[in-house]
Structure formats: C-alpha cells, structure tokens
Amino acid sequence: MTTTLIGTALARLAPVELDELVDRAALQTRVDRKYLVPAEALPRLLERLMPYAQALDIDGERTFRYQSVYFDTPQLTSYHCAAYRRRRRFKVRTRTYLDSAQCWLEVKISGARGSITKHRLPYDPRDRDTVDLGRDFVDEALARESIGPTARSSLEPVLVTEYHRATLLLPDAASRVTVDTELAWRHDGRALRLPGLAVVETKSASAATPVDRMLWRAGMRPARISKYATGLAALRPDLPDVPWRRTLRRHFHGTASPIDPAPDISHRPEQEASCV
C-alpha cells in the first residue's frame, strides 16, 4: 500500500526528462545530505514538494531499479577510511540501472567539508562484478585525487546493494533529490532488507535546498549513513562502526538473514589500512 501511495504522489509532480535534469543539475562535485525517512511519510513529503520539484520521467516511469557492486582491497581500505573518518576517502563501485541495462564504473571521492567528486566510465553490465576491464580508469581517478597507492591494490567485490530510486529536480535551486526505497544489501550469503525505510538525499552545490529546510522543520536532521559502509557494518558486526552506530542501533538491528549466496562476494580477513 505504501509503495502505491508513493507512486501516486510521484505521478502528481511535473515531469522532467533525463537530458534536462543532467543539464541543469549534473553536480558531479557536490555536497550531499542524507535523511532516513519512514516510507509511510514519503507520500506526504512528496505532496508538499509539488511547488518546488519535478520528477524524472522516462517512458512514463518514475521509479527505477538500481544495483551497485562495491569493491574494496583485501584490507577493506575504503571501509576503514570511512570508519576512522579519514580526511579523504574513496569508494569504487559499478552501478547498474536494471530497467535499461546501462552500467557505469564509478570512483567517488569524499573531500573537505563534505564535498563529493564522482568519476564515471560507461561499463558493460555483464562485467559489473569486476573492475579488471576498467582498472586503468580507477587508478587514474585515484591518482588524480591524490589517493595513496594502498587504495590501488587488488580490488574485489565486497557488497551488493539494490533499491528503487526516484530522482527529483529542484529547478530554482539547481539541485537534485533522490528517494531510495526497497533497500536491500547482500554480503557473503547474508541479506539485509529495510522495506519500511527510505533514504532521502539532497545534492546541491553547497547551500541547503527547500527539501532540507522542509525536513528540518519536521524535526529530521541529516543522518550518518553510507550504503556501502553502514550496510557492511550491519552485516559484519566485527567491523568498527562508530560513525554509524546510532543509525545501526535504531534502524538496522536484527534485520540481517541468511540467503543463498548467489552473488560472488569475497570474504577476506581485514586490518586497518591507510587511505593516503
């Protein structure tokens, strides 16, 4: 029922095509703010956004299925950089748009004052479980961002995430909002699903968006959550989790369950590693 109500609320927003959204708010370098919102609260939030937002519409569809495969070193360098709040952090992933079978290899760099820089390379979705064919691209992106050689050692698949995403354009603020629902993670034969929770993420050049201010007035504040690091911490309680401990205790406790190990996800011993 909640999913139907969300779809109905999205359908009431004015549409925007992909080319226009990218042209007006590509924001490959940006500031992100993430909020954990009960899925049942989304229809009301979307209704309040009608004066400010347009919904990405592709062939009449407004929600799209995503799958990301995250890669890390044998020492989980990327994870530990996030867990220990290193000044410069990185993520390497493939992102597949399941409805269109398009895929990208992405390197995300977190820098000063919460800024995010993303490097992207078109990728064959049949190769989404490996970075081997795009390894030169990954190494060049990490070197360009002054990420040290430890991060450029062997990179293996560690975590798979899946979710449904709606993307909104806020034309007056030249910013975007993504709304992720049906959240699921897989690692080493275990699954974690949060069907009653949504991640609402605002993406702007720097300033707060109307959505941020709306959520603040409703008593919601940005949450510490990373689809990669928080999901892996929930599935691997032996890992350090200080940055996300409150989020984990409040939203993720008792949600993991065994699954058939369909994805080929490596499980390796870890130790703290340096980012730079």
Side-chain angles (χ1 to χ4, degrees):
M1 178 64 71
T2 299
T3 301
T4 300
L5 292 174
I6 293 171
T8 300
L10 283 170
R12 297 182 64 189
L13 296 176
V16 61
E17 295 183 353
L18 180 60
D19 288 346
E20 181 181 354
L21 185 146
V22 171
D23 181 61
R24 301 185 67 172
L27 297 170
Q28 294 301 90
T29 300
R30 64 184 187 242
V31 174
D32 296 345
R33 300 175 181 88
K34 299 177 183 178
Y35 303 84
L36 291 169
V37 178
E40 61 187 19
L42 286 179
R44 175 58 178 160
L45 173 64
L46 293 169
E47 288 176 5
R48 295 175 64 188
L49 285 176
M50 287 184 64
Y52 310 103
Q54 299 171 267
L56 175 63
D57 187 298
I58 301 177
D59 297 330
E61 299 294 331
R62 300 205 171 181
T63 59
F64 308 93
R65 295 176 300 144
Y66 282 50
Q67 182 189 83
S68 296
V69 180
Y70 288 88
F71 301 84
D72 213 333
T73 68
Q75 296 79 28
L76 293 185
T77 303
S78 174
Y79 178 88
H80 283 99
C81 286
Y84 293 105
R85 307 303 295 170
R86 298 294 188 246
R87 186 176 63 88
R88 292 182 64 76
R89 305 182 295 277
F90 75 97
K91 293 176 187 172
V92 178
R93 72 187 179 199
T94 57
R95 168 164 286 176
T96 304
Y97 302 87
L98 297 175
D99 297 299
S100 63
Q102 292 183 333
C103 184
W104 296 82
L105 175 60
E106 300 182 341
V107 179
K108 289 183 67 176
I109 307 295
S110 300
R113 295 179 294 278
S115 66
I116 303 290
T117 302
K118 183 190 291 185
H119 305 270
R120 307 181 85 200
L121 176 74
Y123 216 58
D124 191 323
R126 293 171 295 184
D127 299 318
R128 63 183 180 270
D129 293 327
T130 177
V131 298
D132 290 350
L133 297 178
R135 191 56 205 254
D136 289 344
F137 165 80
V138 172
D139 290 347
E140 289 170 6
L142 293 173
R144 193 179 313 135
E145 299 289 346
S146 301
I147 301 295
T150 301
R152 298 196 296 274
S153 64
S154 173
L155 290 170
E156 301 294 336
V158 173
L159 186 76
V160 176
T161 68
E162 295 179 345
Y163 49 93
H164 294 192
R165 169 166 288 187
T167 301
L168 311 180
L169 170 68
L170 306 179
D172 292 343
S175 57
R176 285 186 287 129
V177 179
T178 57
V179 180
D180 297 341
T181 57
E182 303 298 325
L183 301 158
W185 292 258
R186 291 181 289 170
H187 166 75
D188 196 35
R190 290 180 65 77
L192 186 156
R193 297 179 178 87
L194 296 177
L197 196 67
V199 176
V200 175
E201 185 171 356
T202 64
K203 308 168 192 283
S204 66
S206 61
T209 71
V211 177
D212 292 295
R213 290 188 285 271
M214 190 177 296
L215 291 169
W216 296 345
R217 287 195 296 270
M220 299 183 186
R221 292 295 181 268
R224 285 278 184 88
I225 182 171
S226 155
K227 285 195 181 70
Y228 173 52
T230 311
L232 189 58
L235 291 165
R236 290 287 309 278
D238 57 303
L239 293 174
D241 63 1
V242 171
W244 318 287
R245 190 165 293 168
R246 178 179 296 181
T247 298
L248 288 164
R249 288 175 175 172
R250 184 173 182 181
H251 299 288
F252 286 72
H253 180 68
T255 55
S257 61
I259 61 168
D260 294 331
D264 182 15
I265 300 300
S266 299
H267 180 100
R268 300 173 180 269
E270 300 82 17
Q271 60 189 40
E272 182 181 354
S274 172
C275 286
V276 296

